[in-house]
Amino acid sequence: AESIGVYSSSNSHDTSLTSETPRTSMLMELTDRVGVLHDVLKYFWKNDVNISRIESRPAQKRHKFDFFVDFHGQRSDANIQRLLEDLRPMTDQLLILDEKEVSAPLLIN
């Protein structure tokens, strides 16, 4: 028998169907140095935030990189608030670009 569930980063097996999942897009400007991306990504792990997309580009400022990150959640979530607090001192600039509800990917077993 097939079961249909909503993809979740947690270990629980959620079989409820929800059509919308909150997603946030943000821009981080980081100084170029060895290990800077690793240092930032560990806070997503620490705060249990699932990244759905990440893209980097050289910034207009010298020795800086812009990282565009889409992740599950919204600013009103406690774990997202902790994430943003953790990231602020590590970034030269931190901007929330967009928050939206998007269709959740379905997991078919």
Side-chain angles (χ1 to χ4, degrees):
E2 289 186 345
S3 64
I4 299 175
V6 176
Y7 174 77
S8 173
S9 63
S10 68
N11 291 331
S12 65
H13 198 55
D14 183 5
T15 56
S16 63
L17 290 176
T18 59
S19 61
E20 305 295 318
T21 299
R23 299 268 175 96
T24 300
S25 298
M26 84 173 166
L27 166 66
M28 297 182 295
E29 185 180 82
L30 304 172
T31 300
D32 186 21
R33 65 173 174 77
V34 173
V36 70
L37 183 58
H38 174 269
D39 292 345
V40 166
L41 291 179
K42 71 181 177 185
Y43 289 103
F44 286 86
W45 171 80
K46 174 185 169 192
N47 291 294
D48 196 29
V49 177
N50 186 36
I51 295 173
S52 56
R53 184 182 72 87
I54 186 166
E55 180 180 327
S56 66
R57 294 187 182 156
Q60 292 180 349
K61 300 174 188 168
R62 193 173 177 169
H63 303 296
K64 307 275 184 189
F65 271 86
D66 288 336
F67 288 89
F68 296 89
V69 182
D70 292 350
F71 56 88
H72 295 225
Q74 53 195 7
R75 280 184 284 192
S76 59
D77 298 340
N79 66 325
I80 302 302
Q81 290 175 7
R82 286 190 307 270
L83 170 69
L84 296 175
E85 288 172 17
D86 288 340
L87 293 178
R88 276 192 182 91
M90 302 185 67
T91 61
D92 298 317
Q93 194 173 83
L94 181 65
L95 300 171
I96 300 297
L97 302 174
D98 190 22
E99 287 183 316
K100 59 188 167 214
E101 303 282 329
V102 296
S103 296
L106 296 178
L107 175 66
I108 301 175
N109 295 337

